[in-house]
Amino acid sequence: MDLLRKLEILADAAKYDASCASSGTEKRDSKAGGLGSTEGMGICHAYAPDGRCISLLKVLLTNACVFDCAYCINRATSNVPRARFTVRELVDITLDFYRRNYIEGLFLSSGIIRSPDYTMEQIVRVARELREVHGFKGYIHLKTIPDADPALLAEAGRYADRLSINVELPAVESLKTLAPEKDGRAIRVAMAGLRTRIDAYAEAKKEATRAAPPRFAPAGQSTQMIVGADASTDETVLTTSANLYGSYRLKRVYFSAYSPIPDASSLLPPSPPPLVREHRLYQADWLMRFYGFSTEEIVAGGEGGMLDLAVDPKLAWALKHRAQFPVDLNRAPRELLLRVPGLGTRNVDRIIAARRSGPVRLSDLARLRVPLRKVAPFVCAPDHRGQGGLLDRADLRAIVAPREGIAERVDPAFVAALAKPYQPSLFAHV
């Protein structure tokens, strides 16, 4: 099989792994020698938290696998074309793509061939050759295999910026049913081992006075969960995510909507979940990590343990907790402002900074490109009172819900209309 065909098969097979965003690593470049950087711009598919764009070659070493996980397109019994790169081929492709300015880094995963140890050894060889032989300083994310020898995982951390181990499914019981060859406990033990090494590296780096400590995955570790392959509710998904963040200090938990595969097991649902469910879970994950929301609060915005798919989780929560509003733009602490639908962390910080110089008005939010239709009912300011029955209106959801296909515009007439007190009709019940 020629190299181009291998690349076509193995790049396509890698699309099911969502956990390839690059972020949080050390800044490196090749000014003093070597090849590549973690700071370059180019054809990109991943963004760092500071806005840097990092293009990644996202590929599998092989899509052959000895495991037979029911939900996986590359399972042992799947009838798909198989391919495998040699270590030399994958190193050459990565370097060639970098020189052509196609990529700035590599995301490498693999099916299990022969054994977990053998597969992990091949993955590590790719990273080691890129770093030590070719001086590659670009971003490398390696998907690690929890059943592999801990010494191999430790070596992977020397060369990778980020490591990840997929927990696969939200519930351990589901993993036993759909992927009986995988051990949920082993996955968490391996994640704990990575956390210990990552923490030790971070601590040693702070305390080092002379020689730099041995490098170990400076961008931390992440994981991925498949959503919709089992009967787990959004509450279960988010509870599992919160536990993973707390127990292993993960940088990210990624969600991947289940996609039906050919000749699927009868244990799997016949159709995929709504794609918007994955989107809402990412929004909920953001609320947990940056807005101070608990899992219970987020889930309370929906019904039966599932998020409201029609509106974002923060708005869903606010609509069910109207008694906590309106929030005063000029007096409320940061924690309360972050609860206002439509106000993100950056704009909240801008509001707090601006009110040191004088009162913040609703009209000032327009200049920050804040979605006024969503924000106005939940705040009060010198030029706008959120009271007057607005929060009690039965049609509030319709007012603040996103308009399909219509971009949010700053409309002074709309703002003025919302600012007027609402007087319900005496005959509304007739």
Side-chain angles (χ1 to χ4, degrees):
M1 184 182 296
D2 64 54
L3 202 58
L4 185 60
R5 178 59 177 155
K6 287 184 181 181
L7 183 59
E8 180 183 355
I9 292 172
L10 296 174
D12 182 70
K15 69 185 179 184
Y16 297 99
D17 202 318
S19 56
C20 68
S22 56
S23 61
T25 189
E26 300 166 319
K27 291 186 177 182
R28 300 186 302 274
D29 58 43
S30 53
K31 294 177 181 177
L35 184 70
S37 73
T38 59
E39 302 180 82
M41 301 291 290
I43 304 171
C44 90
H45 302 282
Y47 289 87
D50 59 4
R52 290 178 297 116
C53 165
I54 303 176
S55 56
L56 300 175
L57 172 61
K58 181 182 178 185
V59 72
L60 301 185
L61 180 69
T62 180
N63 66 336
C65 192
V66 298
F67 288 176
D68 202 32
C69 305
Y71 48 80
C72 183
I73 187 68
N74 299 316
R75 68 191 186 280
T77 56
S78 180
N79 185 25
V80 296
R82 306 289 184 174
R84 176 183 172 182
F85 284 124
T86 64
V87 170
R88 180 73 261 164
E89 286 173 336
L90 194 47
V91 168
D92 288 345
I93 288 174
T94 302
L95 296 176
D96 187 53
F97 274 35
Y98 171 77
R99 292 187 178 104
R100 292 170 182 264
N101 198 33
Y102 292 164
I103 63 167
E104 290 294 335
L106 171 68
F107 172 87
L108 180 59
S109 185
S110 182
I112 308 299
I113 43 177
R114 297 191 190 178
S115 70
D117 280 352
Y118 176 79
T119 306
M120 195 67 235
E121 182 183 7
Q122 299 299 298
I123 291 174
V124 170
R125 281 185 59 196
V126 172
R128 181 172 61 239
E129 187 163 335
L130 283 169
R131 295 292 197 212
E132 295 188 347
V133 177
H134 299 281
F136 184 74
K137 299 180 185 296
Y139 185 91
I140 295 180
H141 181 156
L142 298 182
K143 183 58 63 68
T144 55
I145 301 167
D147 295 327
D149 190 311
L152 288 170
L153 301 186
E155 189 176 5
R158 289 176 53 195
Y159 305 115
D161 293 280
R162 174 168 290 181
L163 300 174
S164 57
I165 301 175
N166 286 353
V167 295
E168 305 288 351
L169 296 167
V172 175
E173 297 76 16
S174 299
L175 192 65
K176 291 179 181 178
T177 302
L178 299 177
E181 295 160 304
K182 293 187 175 179
D183 185 346
R185 181 179 178 278
I187 291 173
R188 283 164 172 75
V189 168
M191 293 174 77
L194 292 184
R195 175 190 169 169
T196 299
R197 292 181 180 275
I198 291 169
D199 287 351
Y201 167 71
E203 191 62 30
K205 191 174 180 181
K206 290 179 182 178
E207 297 177 357
T209 55
R210 296 182 181 178
R215 181 180 183 276
F216 192 89
Q221 65 171 317
S222 60
T223 193
Q224 174 179 314
M225 279 190 283
I226 300 171
V227 178
D230 64 354
S232 294
T233 63
D234 293 337
E235 183 175 14
T236 300
V237 173
L238 293 173
T239 299
T240 301
S241 295
N243 290 337
L244 291 172
Y245 281 124
S247 299
Y248 309 111
R249 293 187 186 173
L250 300 188
K251 293 295 184 180
R252 286 293 300 274
V253 174
Y254 291 88
F255 308 108
S256 178
Y258 166 69
S259 179
I261 55 180
D263 306 315
S265 166
S266 59
L267 298 173
L268 294 169
S271 58
L275 192 56
V276 70
R277 182 184 177 192
E278 178 186 303
H279 179 61
R280 296 301 181 210
L281 284 169
Y282 274 117
Q283 290 177 319
D285 175 81
W286 211 255
L287 292 182
M288 287 195 302
R289 292 194 294 138
F290 299 111
Y291 289 77
F293 279 78
S294 67
T295 301
E296 294 75 15
E297 287 177 315
I298 295 170
V299 174
E303 299 290 343
M306 302 298 288
L307 299 177
D308 188 335
L309 299 185
V311 296
D312 70 80
K314 192 204 282 192
L315 178 56
W317 175 84
L319 288 170
K320 288 195 173 184
H321 296 81
R322 302 187 193 187
Q324 299 195 28
F325 300 98
V327 169
D328 192 325
L329 288 177
N330 292 284
R331 295 184 179 181
R334 187 174 188 272
E335 293 73 21
L336 282 182
L337 289 174
L338 287 173
R339 300 262 163 162
V340 176
L343 288 185
T345 54
R346 183 176 300 178
N347 278 334
V348 165
D349 290 339
R350 287 172 175 170
I351 290 170
I352 293 174
R355 68 190 190 186
R356 297 188 190 119
S357 303
V360 175
R361 302 176 182 276
L362 190 68
S363 56
D364 295 326
L365 299 187
R367 288 189 283 274
L368 296 177
R369 297 184 180 276
V370 167
L372 296 180
R373 182 181 299 276
K374 183 185 289 188
V375 173
F378 299 99
V379 299
C380 58
D383 62 339
H384 169 72
R385 307 306 299 173
Q387 298 92 339
L390 185 60
L391 286 170
D392 297 326
R393 290 180 62 159
D395 61 344
L396 179 60
R397 183 185 176 98
I399 292 173
V400 297
R403 305 299 177 89
E404 192 68 29
I406 301 177
E408 183 69 45
R409 296 180 179 178
V410 177
D411 184 351
F414 166 73
V415 176
L418 279 180
K420 294 179 181 178
Y422 172 66
Q423 178 62 52
S425 169
L426 293 175
F427 306 98
H429 64 285
V430 178

